[in-house]
Amino acid sequence: METTAAAISAKGVPGSTDDISRVLTEHVAAALRSEIQWRPGAVALVEVLHDADVQQAIVTTSPMNIVEVVAAALPAGAISVLVTEESVSRGKPDPEPYLLAARRLGVEIRRCVAVEDSPTGLQAAVRSGAAVLAVPCDVPIELAPAWSRSDSLEGLTLADLHGLVKPSAR
């Protein structure tokens, strides 16, 4: 967002980059309140995990005002922790966001599964010690020894995610 705001400012749009960032995120949040285009299978997986009493967190580089809109659109109580850019001093690819989420959830990171769609997020998740599932979206992601990979969230089950966690961590 800082890069985008700086580019807009450089084109002569008045206001500080902080002001421009704030306006942009407010517009994104408003658009999301109208309609969220979920990744196929995302809501169903959140519901399955919620129904099984699995605690869930959103760990993102997005700002809180956007993430709150997304979390509120999911089943009530499904997401118990939000970790955003404002929550940490070092964002992804540093593991701090994932470690903070695990701490807030009250679970050991090695018992967590991080679902990621970006190389930066994958680096953070792997470095944290979580089990990692790569699900490509806008950027191609190859299979690597450090993570598992799925082309979609559709059809994923609690057992699938549980199977990603090392037996010694279960």
Side-chain angles (χ1 to χ4, degrees), residues 1-23:
M1 185 59 72
E2 291 173 11
T3 303
T4 301
I8 290 171
S9 179
K11 294 289 183 182
V13 173
S16 69
T17 55
D18 286 345
D19 291 339
I20 293 169
S21 292
R22 188 171 29 265
V23 168

Side-chain angles (χ1 to χ4, degrees), residues 83-157:
V83 175
T84 65
E85 65 178 8
E86 299 97 338
S87 307
V88 295
S89 58
R90 294 176 314 277
K92 298 174 184 180
D94 192 276
E96 181 185 355
Y98 278 106
L99 295 171
L100 177 60
R103 199 165 41 253
R104 288 182 176 173
L105 289 170
V107 296
E108 294 178 47
I109 191 66
R110 63 191 185 94
R111 296 189 66 208
C112 296
V113 176
V115 179
E116 268 293 347
D117 65 356
S118 73
T120 303
L122 286 167
Q123 288 177 355
V126 168
R127 291 175 180 168
S128 76
V132 181
L133 177 62
V135 183
C137 184
D138 296 325
V139 179
I141 298 172
E142 299 302 319
L143 182 60
W147 57 75
S148 299
R149 186 181 183 283
S150 177
D151 289 330
S152 174
L153 297 170
E154 281 188 299
L156 286 178
T157 66

Side-chain angles (χ1 to χ4, degrees), residues 13-48:
V13 173
S16 69
T17 55
D18 286 345
D19 291 339
I20 293 169
S21 292
R22 188 171 29 265
V23 168
L24 289 173
T25 61
E26 287 169 3
H27 282 282
V28 170
L32 289 171
R33 281 186 204 94
S34 299
E35 178 185 13
I36 297 176
Q37 294 188 2
W38 299 101
R39 302 262 312 268
V43 174
L45 183 58
V46 167
E47 289 172 342
V48 164

Side-chain angles (χ1 to χ4, degrees), residues 45-76:
L45 183 58
V46 167
E47 289 172 342
V48 164
L49 297 174
H50 180 58
D51 291 346
D53 293 324
V54 174
Q55 293 184 77
Q56 299 173 75
I58 295 177
V59 178
T60 181
T61 56
S62 296
M64 184 63 79
N65 67 329
I66 291 174
V67 180
E68 287 173 332
V69 173
V70 172
L74 292 165

